[in-house]
Amino acid sequence: MAELRPDSANRHRTRVKIVECAARLLRAQGAGAVTTRAVAQAAGMQAPTIYRFFEDKEALLDAVAEHVFATYVAGKSLADPSGDPVADLRAGWDTHIGFGLANAALFGLFADPGRGARSAATTAGLDVLRARVHRVAAAGRLRVPERRAVELLHAAGTGTVLTLLSVPPEHRDPGLADAMYDAVMRAVLTDVPTLPADDATAAAVAFRAVAPDLTVLSDAERALLSEWLGRAGTGGDRGQRDA
């Protein structure tokens, strides 16, 4: 990694300081508190300095959201998997719900489809979820295609956090997140690792998860096998063949 020149390093430090000060304001008081004047005062600089780094408040909020969420995702990525992929999936769910409730204003920013779609941190977070779901599939515990499971978990997690945040803390249903997770798991998990005779769809999903690692096959053979297994794993549903 190339070293930053002194002027570039100073500029980088100033930008980071601005973002961190804005993040503290966002956590403590919400997006409305993140004004140029307030951030500049918190950072100990003149307001015009902010505009040397960010075009407007929305650009600053984008940077704040990316900074905080990227730190959170990096922590998830570094977590060592256990020997139980289903338990790891549950742990990821609990962490996601906890992060959302602890960072209400930030989570609201990422719930905006426009902002989330252009976020590298959001993409990285989904990659972590996909990897965890893939491990469940490879263990023979997934009854639906991986893509369907990822989308169900992502939608359920986001919806649960937003629902809980819409209610004052003292009136929130403490069991809602658990009930939602259990409902999704009933839709996507088998009760036990499956054998071909037990559940053809789940077996196809599991086999497809490990097919890319079959080095005895050529690239073309692995691609063809994945296509066949994709059809078997969706019961011929064209809308899910590329899942």
Side-chain angles (χ1 to χ4, degrees), residues 50-89:
I50 306 295
Y51 291 109
R52 291 167 49 194
F53 295 86
F54 304 100
E55 181 180 357
D56 52 27
K57 177 181 175 178
E58 287 302 306
L60 176 56
L61 286 174
D62 280 345
V64 169
E66 193 71 10
H67 169 73
V68 177
F69 198 62
T71 302
Y72 160 66
V73 170
K76 289 176 62 179
S77 301
L78 294 174
D80 292 331
S82 72
D84 185 345
V86 175
D88 290 342
L89 195 62

PDB file of all heavy atoms in Angstrom, residues 50-89:
ATOM      1  N   ILE A  50     -15.755  22.103   5.815  1.00  0.00           N
ATOM      2  CA  ILE A  50     -16.532  20.899   5.516  1.00  0.00           C
ATOM      3  C   ILE A  50     -16.760  20.772   4.019  1.00  0.00           C
ATOM      4  O   ILE A  50     -16.688  19.673   3.452  1.00  0.00           O
ATOM      5  CB  ILE A  50     -17.893  20.933   6.247  1.00  0.00           C
ATOM      6  CG1 ILE A  50     -17.710  21.166   7.753  1.00  0.00           C
ATOM      7  CG2 ILE A  50     -18.669  19.644   5.979  1.00  0.00           C
ATOM      8  CD1 ILE A  50     -17.004  20.069   8.470  1.00  0.00           C
ATOM      9  N   TYR A  51     -16.997  21.914   3.358  1.00  0.00           N
ATOM     10  CA  TYR A  51     -17.322  21.877   1.932  1.00  0.00           C
ATOM     11  C   TYR A  51     -16.106  21.574   1.064  1.00  0.00           C
ATOM     12  O   TYR A  51     -16.254  21.337  -0.137  1.00  0.00           O
ATOM     13  CB  TYR A  51     -17.953  23.200   1.520  1.00  0.00           C
ATOM     14  CG  TYR A  51     -19.340  23.384   2.116  1.00  0.00           C
ATOM     15  CD1 TYR A  51     -19.549  24.324   3.128  1.00  0.00           C
ATOM     16  CD2 TYR A  51     -20.416  22.615   1.706  1.00  0.00           C
ATOM     17  CE1 TYR A  51     -20.810  24.490   3.694  1.00  0.00           C
ATOM     18  CE2 TYR A  51     -21.675  22.766   2.261  1.00  0.00           C
ATOM     19  CZ  TYR A  51     -21.867  23.706   3.256  1.00  0.00           C
ATOM     20  OH  TYR A  51     -23.105  23.854   3.818  1.00  0.00           O
ATOM     21  N   ARG A  52     -14.937  21.597   1.634  1.00  0.00           N
ATOM     22  CA  ARG A  52     -13.750  21.187   0.879  1.00  0.00           C
ATOM     23  C   ARG A  52     -13.693  19.667   0.738  1.00  0.00           C
ATOM     24  O   ARG A  52     -12.954  19.142  -0.095  1.00  0.00           O
ATOM     25  CB  ARG A  52     -12.485  21.691   1.574  1.00  0.00           C
ATOM     26  CG  ARG A  52     -12.309  23.216   1.525  1.00  0.00           C
ATOM     27  CD  ARG A  52     -11.235  23.679   2.485  1.00  0.00           C
ATOM     28  NE  ARG A  52      -9.998  22.900   2.346  1.00  0.00           N
ATOM     29  CZ  ARG A  52      -9.010  22.926   3.237  1.00  0.00           C
ATOM     30  NH1 ARG A  52      -9.144  23.658   4.348  1.00  0.00           N
ATOM     31  NH2 ARG A  52      -7.920  22.220   3.042  1.00  0.00           N
ATOM     32  N   PHE A  53     -14.504  18.985   1.550  1.00  0.00           N
ATOM     33  CA  PHE A  53     -14.489  17.530   1.551  1.00  0.00           C
ATOM     34  C   PHE A  53     -15.819  16.920   1.098  1.00  0.00           C
ATOM     35  O   PHE A  53     -15.834  15.805   0.554  1.00  0.00           O
ATOM     36  CB  PHE A  53     -14.165  17.004   2.957  1.00  0.00           C
ATOM     37  CG  PHE A  53     -12.781  17.363   3.427  1.00  0.00           C
ATOM     38  CD1 PHE A  53     -12.538  18.576   4.054  1.00  0.00           C
ATOM     39  CD2 PHE A  53     -11.716  16.498   3.220  1.00  0.00           C
ATOM     40  CE1 PHE A  53     -11.267  18.915   4.489  1.00  0.00           C
ATOM     41  CE2 PHE A  53     -10.444  16.829   3.643  1.00  0.00           C
ATOM     42  CZ  PHE A  53     -10.208  18.047   4.273  1.00  0.00           C
ATOM     43  N   PHE A  54     -16.914  17.635   1.347  1.00  0.00           N
ATOM     44  CA  PHE A  54     -18.242  17.101   1.039  1.00  0.00           C
ATOM     45  C   PHE A  54     -19.094  18.169   0.371  1.00  0.00           C
ATOM     46  O   PHE A  54     -19.164  19.305   0.850  1.00  0.00           O
ATOM     47  CB  PHE A  54     -18.933  16.612   2.322  1.00  0.00           C
ATOM     48  CG  PHE A  54     -18.125  15.592   3.075  1.00  0.00           C
ATOM     49  CD1 PHE A  54     -17.367  15.972   4.177  1.00  0.00           C
ATOM     50  CD2 PHE A  54     -18.092  14.267   2.657  1.00  0.00           C
ATOM     51  CE1 PHE A  54     -16.605  15.047   4.863  1.00  0.00           C
ATOM     52  CE2 PHE A  54     -17.327  13.333   3.342  1.00  0.00           C
ATOM     53  CZ  PHE A  54     -16.579  13.728   4.447  1.00  0.00           C
ATOM     54  N   GLU A  55     -19.724  17.775  -0.711  1.00  0.00           N
ATOM     55  CA  GLU A  55     -20.514  18.716  -1.502  1.00  0.00           C
ATOM     56  C   GLU A  55     -21.686  19.281  -0.716  1.00  0.00           C
ATOM     57  O   GLU A  55     -22.002  20.465  -0.812  1.00  0.00           O
ATOM     58  CB  GLU A  55     -21.019  18.024  -2.767  1.00  0.00           C
ATOM     59  CG  GLU A  55     -21.851  18.909  -3.687  1.00  0.00           C
ATOM     60  CD  GLU A  55     -22.323  18.170  -4.926  1.00  0.00           C
ATOM     61  OE1 GLU A  55     -21.951  16.989  -5.094  1.00  0.00           O
ATOM     62  OE2 GLU A  55     -23.078  18.773  -5.714  1.00  0.00           O
ATOM     63  N   ASP A  56     -22.349  18.437   0.051  1.00  0.00           N
ATOM     64  CA  ASP A  56     -23.503  18.868   0.821  1.00  0.00           C
ATOM     65  C   ASP A  56     -23.726  17.905   1.981  1.00  0.00           C
ATOM     66  O   ASP A  56     -22.950  16.968   2.195  1.00  0.00           O
ATOM     67  CB  ASP A  56     -24.760  18.959  -0.054  1.00  0.00           C
ATOM     68  CG  ASP A  56     -25.016  17.668  -0.844  1.00  0.00           C
ATOM     69  OD1 ASP A  56     -24.593  16.582  -0.367  1.00  0.00           O
ATOM     70  OD2 ASP A  56     -25.635  17.742  -1.920  1.00  0.00           O
ATOM     71  N   LYS A  57     -24.807  18.122   2.720  1.00  0.00           N
ATOM     72  CA  LYS A  57     -25.099  17.275   3.879  1.00  0.00           C
ATOM     73  C   LYS A  57     -25.323  15.832   3.474  1.00  0.00           C
ATOM     74  O   LYS A  57     -24.894  14.909   4.183  1.00  0.00           O
ATOM     75  CB  LYS A  57     -26.327  17.818   4.613  1.00  0.00           C
ATOM     76  CG  LYS A  57     -26.765  16.965   5.784  1.00  0.00           C
ATOM     77  CD  LYS A  57     -27.993  17.541   6.469  1.00  0.00           C
ATOM     78  CE  LYS A  57     -28.498  16.617   7.559  1.00  0.00           C
ATOM     79  NZ  LYS A  57     -29.667  17.173   8.291  1.00  0.00           N
ATOM     80  N   GLU A  58     -25.999  15.596   2.348  1.00  0.00           N
ATOM     81  CA  GLU A  58     -26.262  14.231   1.914  1.00  0.00           C
ATOM     82  C   GLU A  58     -24.965  13.476   1.647  1.00  0.00           C
ATOM     83  O   GLU A  58     -24.842  12.295   1.977  1.00  0.00           O
ATOM     84  CB  GLU A  58     -27.148  14.232   0.669  1.00  0.00           C
ATOM     85  CG  GLU A  58     -28.590  14.599   0.947  1.00  0.00           C
ATOM     86  CD  GLU A  58     -29.233  13.661   1.961  1.00  0.00           C
ATOM     87  OE1 GLU A  58     -29.189  12.436   1.745  1.00  0.00           O
ATOM     88  OE2 GLU A  58     -29.754  14.159   2.978  1.00  0.00           O
ATOM     89  N   ALA A  59     -23.997  14.158   1.057  1.00  0.00           N
ATOM     90  CA  ALA A  59     -22.710  13.514   0.791  1.00  0.00           C
ATOM     91  C   ALA A  59     -22.009  13.178   2.100  1.00  0.00           C
ATOM     92  O   ALA A  59     -21.370  12.121   2.229  1.00  0.00           O
ATOM     93  CB  ALA A  59     -21.832  14.427  -0.058  1.00  0.00           C
ATOM     94  N   LEU A  60     -22.126  14.060   3.083  1.00  0.00           N
ATOM     95  CA  LEU A  60     -21.529  13.796   4.391  1.00  0.00           C
ATOM     96  C   LEU A  60     -22.218  12.612   5.066  1.00  0.00           C
ATOM     97  O   LEU A  60     -21.566  11.732   5.628  1.00  0.00           O
ATOM     98  CB  LEU A  60     -21.626  15.042   5.270  1.00  0.00           C
ATOM     99  CG  LEU A  60     -21.126  14.891   6.714  1.00  0.00           C
ATOM    100  CD1 LEU A  60     -19.682  14.410   6.750  1.00  0.00           C
ATOM    101  CD2 LEU A  60     -21.256  16.233   7.456  1.00  0.00           C
ATOM    102  N   LEU A  61     -23.555  12.570   4.999  1.00  0.00           N
ATOM    103  CA  LEU A  61     -24.287  11.450   5.590  1.00  0.00           C
ATOM    104  C   LEU A  61     -23.921  10.131   4.917  1.00  0.00           C
ATOM    105  O   LEU A  61     -23.802   9.096   5.581  1.00  0.00           O
ATOM    106  CB  LEU A  61     -25.795  11.695   5.493  1.00  0.00           C
ATOM    107  CG  LEU A  61     -26.379  12.732   6.452  1.00  0.00           C
ATOM    108  CD1 LEU A  61     -27.849  12.977   6.135  1.00  0.00           C
ATOM    109  CD2 LEU A  61     -26.217  12.290   7.904  1.00  0.00           C
ATOM    110  N   ASP A  62     -23.741  10.159   3.604  1.00  0.00           N
ATOM    111  CA  ASP A  62     -23.304   8.955   2.892  1.00  0.00           C
ATOM    112  C   ASP A  62     -21.971   8.462   3.447  1.00  0.00           C
ATOM    113  O   ASP A  62     -21.771   7.271   3.685  1.00  0.00           O
ATOM    114  CB  ASP A  62     -23.159   9.237   1.396  1.00  0.00           C
ATOM    115  CG  ASP A  62     -24.488   9.206   0.653  1.00  0.00           C
ATOM    116  OD1 ASP A  62     -25.479   8.698   1.221  1.00  0.00           O
ATOM    117  OD2 ASP A  62     -24.534   9.691  -0.485  1.00  0.00           O
ATOM    118  N   ALA A  63     -21.050   9.400   3.647  1.00  0.00           N
ATOM    119  CA  ALA A  63     -19.721   9.041   4.144  1.00  0.00           C
ATOM    120  C   ALA A  63     -19.794   8.496   5.568  1.00  0.00           C
ATOM    121  O   ALA A  63     -19.097   7.540   5.918  1.00  0.00           O
ATOM    122  CB  ALA A  63     -18.793  10.255   4.088  1.00  0.00           C
ATOM    123  N   VAL A  64     -20.642   9.102   6.381  1.00  0.00           N
ATOM    124  CA  VAL A  64     -20.802   8.646   7.766  1.00  0.00           C
ATOM    125  C   VAL A  64     -21.376   7.232   7.784  1.00  0.00           C
ATOM    126  O   VAL A  64     -20.874   6.340   8.493  1.00  0.00           O
ATOM    127  CB  VAL A  64     -21.719   9.604   8.554  1.00  0.00           C
ATOM    128  CG1 VAL A  64     -22.097   8.996   9.900  1.00  0.00           C
ATOM    129  CG2 VAL A  64     -21.027  10.943   8.759  1.00  0.00           C
ATOM    130  N   ALA A  65     -22.436   7.025   7.026  1.00  0.00           N
ATOM    131  CA  ALA A  65     -23.067   5.709   6.987  1.00  0.00           C
ATOM    132  C   ALA A  65     -22.076   4.651   6.507  1.00  0.00           C
ATOM    133  O   ALA A  65     -21.993   3.548   7.075  1.00  0.00           O
ATOM    134  CB  ALA A  65     -24.289   5.752   6.074  1.00  0.00           C
ATOM    135  N   GLU A  66     -21.329   4.974   5.475  1.00  0.00           N
ATOM    136  CA  GLU A  66     -20.368   4.019   4.927  1.00  0.00           C
ATOM    137  C   GLU A  66     -19.282   3.702   5.951  1.00  0.00           C
ATOM    138  O   GLU A  66     -18.895   2.548   6.139  1.00  0.00           O
ATOM    139  CB  GLU A  66     -19.741   4.594   3.652  1.00  0.00           C
ATOM    140  CG  GLU A  66     -18.968   3.596   2.829  1.00  0.00           C
ATOM    141  CD  GLU A  66     -19.870   2.577   2.133  1.00  0.00           C
ATOM    142  OE1 GLU A  66     -21.101   2.754   2.124  1.00  0.00           O
ATOM    143  OE2 GLU A  66     -19.330   1.588   1.618  1.00  0.00           O
ATOM    144  N   HIS A  67     -18.801   4.709   6.652  1.00  0.00           N
ATOM    145  CA  HIS A  67     -17.736   4.533   7.638  1.00  0.00           C
ATOM    146  C   HIS A  67     -18.177   3.619   8.779  1.00  0.00           C
ATOM    147  O   HIS A  67     -17.496   2.644   9.127  1.00  0.00           O
ATOM    148  CB  HIS A  67     -17.320   5.898   8.189  1.00  0.00           C
ATOM    149  CG  HIS A  67     -16.425   5.839   9.390  1.00  0.00           C
ATOM    150  ND1 HIS A  67     -15.103   5.469   9.324  1.00  0.00           N
ATOM    151  CD2 HIS A  67     -16.687   6.089  10.708  1.00  0.00           C
ATOM    152  CE1 HIS A  67     -14.579   5.494  10.537  1.00  0.00           C
ATOM    153  NE2 HIS A  67     -15.514   5.869  11.396  1.00  0.00           N
ATOM    154  N   VAL A  68     -19.335   3.912   9.356  1.00  0.00           N
ATOM    155  CA  VAL A  68     -19.803   3.140  10.509  1.00  0.00           C
ATOM    156  C   VAL A  68     -20.181   1.719  10.094  1.00  0.00           C
ATOM    157  O   VAL A  68     -19.822   0.734  10.756  1.00  0.00           O
ATOM    158  CB  VAL A  68     -21.004   3.837  11.185  1.00  0.00           C
ATOM    159  CG1 VAL A  68     -21.529   2.993  12.338  1.00  0.00           C
ATOM    160  CG2 VAL A  68     -20.597   5.212  11.687  1.00  0.00           C
ATOM    161  N   PHE A  69     -20.906   1.603   8.980  1.00  0.00           N
ATOM    162  CA  PHE A  69     -21.352   0.273   8.557  1.00  0.00           C
ATOM    163  C   PHE A  69     -20.181  -0.574   8.090  1.00  0.00           C
ATOM    164  O   PHE A  69     -20.166  -1.794   8.310  1.00  0.00           O
ATOM    165  CB  PHE A  69     -22.403   0.402   7.453  1.00  0.00           C
ATOM    166  CG  PHE A  69     -23.214  -0.845   7.267  1.00  0.00           C
ATOM    167  CD1 PHE A  69     -24.010  -1.335   8.289  1.00  0.00           C
ATOM    168  CD2 PHE A  69     -23.189  -1.543   6.069  1.00  0.00           C
ATOM    169  CE1 PHE A  69     -24.762  -2.496   8.127  1.00  0.00           C
ATOM    170  CE2 PHE A  69     -23.936  -2.698   5.893  1.00  0.00           C
ATOM    171  CZ  PHE A  69     -24.719  -3.173   6.933  1.00  0.00           C
ATOM    172  N   ALA A  70     -19.190   0.042   7.461  1.00  0.00           N
ATOM    173  CA  ALA A  70     -18.012  -0.707   7.013  1.00  0.00           C
ATOM    174  C   ALA A  70     -17.256  -1.274   8.205  1.00  0.00           C
ATOM    175  O   ALA A  70     -16.752  -2.405   8.162  1.00  0.00           O
ATOM    176  CB  ALA A  70     -17.096   0.185   6.186  1.00  0.00           C
ATOM    177  N   THR A  71     -17.169  -0.513   9.286  1.00  0.00           N
ATOM    178  CA  THR A  71     -16.505  -0.989  10.500  1.00  0.00           C
ATOM    179  C   THR A  71     -17.256  -2.180  11.077  1.00  0.00           C
ATOM    180  O   THR A  71     -16.661  -3.185  11.495  1.00  0.00           O
ATOM    181  CB  THR A  71     -16.421   0.133  11.542  1.00  0.00           C
ATOM    182  OG1 THR A  71     -15.702   1.243  10.983  1.00  0.00           O
ATOM    183  CG2 THR A  71     -15.711  -0.343  12.797  1.00  0.00           C
ATOM    184  N   TYR A  72     -18.585  -2.082  11.082  1.00  0.00           N
ATOM    185  CA  TYR A  72     -19.432  -3.172  11.588  1.00  0.00           C
ATOM    186  C   TYR A  72     -19.266  -4.423  10.728  1.00  0.00           C
ATOM    187  O   TYR A  72     -19.085  -5.533  11.249  1.00  0.00           O
ATOM    188  CB  TYR A  72     -20.880  -2.698  11.593  1.00  0.00           C
ATOM    189  CG  TYR A  72     -21.918  -3.792  11.616  1.00  0.00           C
ATOM    190  CD1 TYR A  72     -22.061  -4.638  12.710  1.00  0.00           C
ATOM    191  CD2 TYR A  72     -22.793  -3.969  10.535  1.00  0.00           C
ATOM    192  CE1 TYR A  72     -23.027  -5.638  12.727  1.00  0.00           C
ATOM    193  CE2 TYR A  72     -23.760  -4.959  10.556  1.00  0.00           C
ATOM    194  CZ  TYR A  72     -23.870  -5.789  11.647  1.00  0.00           C
ATOM    195  OH  TYR A  72     -24.816  -6.776  11.661  1.00  0.00           O
ATOM    196  N   VAL A  73     -19.315  -4.270   9.406  1.00  0.00           N
ATOM    197  CA  VAL A  73     -19.195  -5.416   8.499  1.00  0.00           C
ATOM    198  C   VAL A  73     -17.816  -6.062   8.618  1.00  0.00           C
ATOM    199  O   VAL A  73     -17.687  -7.292   8.577  1.00  0.00           O
ATOM    200  CB  VAL A  73     -19.474  -4.992   7.042  1.00  0.00           C
ATOM    201  CG1 VAL A  73     -19.120  -6.115   6.077  1.00  0.00           C
ATOM    202  CG2 VAL A  73     -20.938  -4.601   6.885  1.00  0.00           C
ATOM    203  N   ALA A  74     -16.780  -5.237   8.782  1.00  0.00           N
ATOM    204  CA  ALA A  74     -15.430  -5.784   8.911  1.00  0.00           C
ATOM    205  C   ALA A  74     -15.338  -6.690  10.134  1.00  0.00           C
ATOM    206  O   ALA A  74     -14.705  -7.749  10.097  1.00  0.00           O
ATOM    207  CB  ALA A  74     -14.412  -4.652   9.021  1.00  0.00           C
ATOM    208  N   GLY A  75     -15.994  -6.301  11.212  1.00  0.00           N
ATOM    209  CA  GLY A  75     -16.014  -7.139  12.403  1.00  0.00           C
ATOM    210  C   GLY A  75     -16.707  -8.457  12.159  1.00  0.00           C
ATOM    211  O   GLY A  75     -16.275  -9.512  12.623  1.00  0.00           O
ATOM    212  N   LYS A  76     -17.814  -8.430  11.394  1.00  0.00           N
ATOM    213  CA  LYS A  76     -18.531  -9.662  11.063  1.00  0.00           C
ATOM    214  C   LYS A  76     -17.672 -10.564  10.182  1.00  0.00           C
ATOM    215  O   LYS A  76     -17.651 -11.781  10.343  1.00  0.00           O
ATOM    216  CB  LYS A  76     -19.825  -9.336  10.325  1.00  0.00           C
ATOM    217  CG  LYS A  76     -20.900  -8.690  11.175  1.00  0.00           C
ATOM    218  CD  LYS A  76     -22.109  -8.312  10.342  1.00  0.00           C
ATOM    219  CE  LYS A  76     -22.767  -9.510   9.704  1.00  0.00           C
ATOM    220  NZ  LYS A  76     -23.971  -9.146   8.918  1.00  0.00           N
ATOM    221  N   SER A  77     -16.948  -9.955   9.251  1.00  0.00           N
ATOM    222  CA  SER A  77     -16.143 -10.727   8.307  1.00  0.00           C
ATOM    223  C   SER A  77     -14.998 -11.454   9.008  1.00  0.00           C
ATOM    224  O   SER A  77     -14.597 -12.542   8.601  1.00  0.00           O
ATOM    225  CB  SER A  77     -15.578  -9.811   7.222  1.00  0.00           C
ATOM    226  OG  SER A  77     -16.610  -9.155   6.517  1.00  0.00           O
ATOM    227  N   LEU A  78     -14.472 -10.842  10.063  1.00  0.00           N
ATOM    228  CA  LEU A  78     -13.326 -11.408  10.761  1.00  0.00           C
ATOM    229  C   LEU A  78     -13.714 -12.480  11.774  1.00  0.00           C
ATOM    230  O   LEU A  78     -12.856 -13.178  12.296  1.00  0.00           O
ATOM    231  CB  LEU A  78     -12.542 -10.290  11.468  1.00  0.00           C
ATOM    232  CG  LEU A  78     -11.853  -9.272  10.549  1.00  0.00           C
ATOM    233  CD1 LEU A  78     -11.251  -8.148  11.376  1.00  0.00           C
ATOM    234  CD2 LEU A  78     -10.781  -9.946   9.701  1.00  0.00           C
ATOM    235  N   ALA A  79     -15.007 -12.584  12.067  1.00  0.00           N
ATOM    236  CA  ALA A  79     -15.455 -13.564  13.051  1.00  0.00           C
ATOM    237  C   ALA A  79     -15.200 -14.981  12.533  1.00  0.00           C
ATOM    238  O   ALA A  79     -15.559 -15.316  11.408  1.00  0.00           O
ATOM    239  CB  ALA A  79     -16.937 -13.369  13.343  1.00  0.00           C
ATOM    240  N   ASP A  80     -14.549 -15.796  13.348  1.00  0.00           N
ATOM    241  CA  ASP A  80     -14.247 -17.173  12.940  1.00  0.00           C
ATOM    242  C   ASP A  80     -15.523 -18.018  12.964  1.00  0.00           C
ATOM    243  O   ASP A  80     -16.267 -18.000  13.956  1.00  0.00           O
ATOM    244  CB  ASP A  80     -13.220 -17.790  13.891  1.00  0.00           C
ATOM    245  CG  ASP A  80     -11.854 -17.144  13.763  1.00  0.00           C
ATOM    246  OD1 ASP A  80     -11.538 -16.670  12.661  1.00  0.00           O
ATOM    247  OD2 ASP A  80     -11.119 -17.107  14.774  1.00  0.00           O
ATOM    248  N   PRO A  81     -15.771 -18.754  11.891  1.00  0.00           N
ATOM    249  CA  PRO A  81     -16.954 -19.623  11.890  1.00  0.00           C
ATOM    250  C   PRO A  81     -16.788 -20.769  12.875  1.00  0.00           C
ATOM    251  O   PRO A  81     -15.670 -21.245  13.108  1.00  0.00           O
ATOM    252  CB  PRO A  81     -17.015 -20.129  10.442  1.00  0.00           C
ATOM    253  CG  PRO A  81     -15.610 -20.037   9.958  1.00  0.00           C
ATOM    254  CD  PRO A  81     -15.012 -18.835  10.631  1.00  0.00           C
ATOM    255  N   SER A  82     -17.889 -21.201  13.454  1.00  0.00           N
ATOM    256  CA  SER A  82     -17.856 -22.353  14.346  1.00  0.00           C
ATOM    257  C   SER A  82     -18.082 -23.606  13.526  1.00  0.00           C
ATOM    258  O   SER A  82     -18.157 -23.567  12.303  1.00  0.00           O
ATOM    259  CB  SER A  82     -18.946 -22.217  15.413  1.00  0.00           C
ATOM    260  OG  SER A  82     -20.236 -22.426  14.824  1.00  0.00           O
ATOM    261  N   GLY A  83     -18.218 -24.733  14.193  1.00  0.00           N
ATOM    262  CA  GLY A  83     -18.482 -25.963  13.470  1.00  0.00           C
ATOM    263  C   GLY A  83     -19.943 -26.146  13.127  1.00  0.00           C
ATOM    264  O   GLY A  83     -20.320 -27.149  12.513  1.00  0.00           O
ATOM    265  N   ASP A  84     -20.779 -25.176  13.500  1.00  0.00           N
ATOM    266  CA  ASP A  84     -22.216 -25.275  13.272  1.00  0.00           C
ATOM    267  C   ASP A  84     -22.683 -24.095  12.428  1.00  0.00           C
ATOM    268  O   ASP A  84     -22.893 -22.995  12.949  1.00  0.00           O
ATOM    269  CB  ASP A  84     -22.958 -25.289  14.611  1.00  0.00           C
ATOM    270  CG  ASP A  84     -24.456 -25.525  14.452  1.00  0.00           C
ATOM    271  OD1 ASP A  84     -24.969 -25.397  13.325  1.00  0.00           O
ATOM    272  OD2 ASP A  84     -25.115 -25.820  15.469  1.00  0.00           O
ATOM    273  N   PRO A  85     -22.846 -24.265  11.116  1.00  0.00           N
ATOM    274  CA  PRO A  85     -23.223 -23.142  10.254  1.00  0.00           C
ATOM    275  C   PRO A  85     -24.594 -22.578  10.577  1.00  0.00           C
ATOM    276  O   PRO A  85     -24.834 -21.382  10.373  1.00  0.00           O
ATOM    277  CB  PRO A  85     -23.175 -23.733   8.848  1.00  0.00           C
ATOM    278  CG  PRO A  85     -23.293 -25.201   9.032  1.00  0.00           C
ATOM    279  CD  PRO A  85     -22.638 -25.504  10.345  1.00  0.00           C
ATOM    280  N   VAL A  86     -25.504 -23.390  11.086  1.00  0.00           N
ATOM    281  CA  VAL A  86     -26.825 -22.888  11.455  1.00  0.00           C
ATOM    282  C   VAL A  86     -26.722 -21.972  12.667  1.00  0.00           C
ATOM    283  O   VAL A  86     -27.361 -20.915  12.727  1.00  0.00           O
ATOM    284  CB  VAL A  86     -27.810 -24.051  11.724  1.00  0.00           C
ATOM    285  CG1 VAL A  86     -29.142 -23.519  12.228  1.00  0.00           C
ATOM    286  CG2 VAL A  86     -28.017 -24.870  10.456  1.00  0.00           C
ATOM    287  N   ALA A  87     -25.893 -22.351  13.637  1.00  0.00           N
ATOM    288  CA  ALA A  87     -25.675 -21.499  14.808  1.00  0.00           C
ATOM    289  C   ALA A  87     -25.014 -20.181  14.396  1.00  0.00           C
ATOM    290  O   ALA A  87     -25.336 -19.110  14.937  1.00  0.00           O
ATOM    291  CB  ALA A  87     -24.820 -22.224  15.836  1.00  0.00           C
ATOM    292  N   ASP A  88     -24.088 -20.246  13.434  1.00  0.00           N
ATOM    293  CA  ASP A  88     -23.437 -19.023  12.959  1.00  0.00           C
ATOM    294  C   ASP A  88     -24.439 -18.103  12.271  1.00  0.00           C
ATOM    295  O   ASP A  88     -24.360 -16.873  12.387  1.00  0.00           O
ATOM    296  CB  ASP A  88     -22.307 -19.368  11.983  1.00  0.00           C
ATOM    297  CG  ASP A  88     -21.124 -20.030  12.683  1.00  0.00           C
ATOM    298  OD1 ASP A  88     -21.025 -19.918  13.915  1.00  0.00           O
ATOM    299  OD2 ASP A  88     -20.313 -20.666  11.983  1.00  0.00           O
ATOM    300  N   LEU A  89     -25.384 -18.707  11.549  1.00  0.00           N
ATOM    301  CA  LEU A  89     -26.422 -17.908  10.889  1.00  0.00           C
ATOM    302  C   LEU A  89     -27.263 -17.193  11.936  1.00  0.00           C
ATOM    303  O   LEU A  89     -27.589 -16.007  11.784  1.00  0.00           O
ATOM    304  CB  LEU A  89     -27.291 -18.810  10.020  1.00  0.00           C
ATOM    305  CG  LEU A  89     -28.196 -18.146   8.985  1.00  0.00           C
ATOM    306  CD1 LEU A  89     -27.381 -17.370   7.964  1.00  0.00           C
ATOM    307  CD2 LEU A  89     -29.053 -19.193   8.284  1.00  0.00           C
TER     308      LEU A  89
END
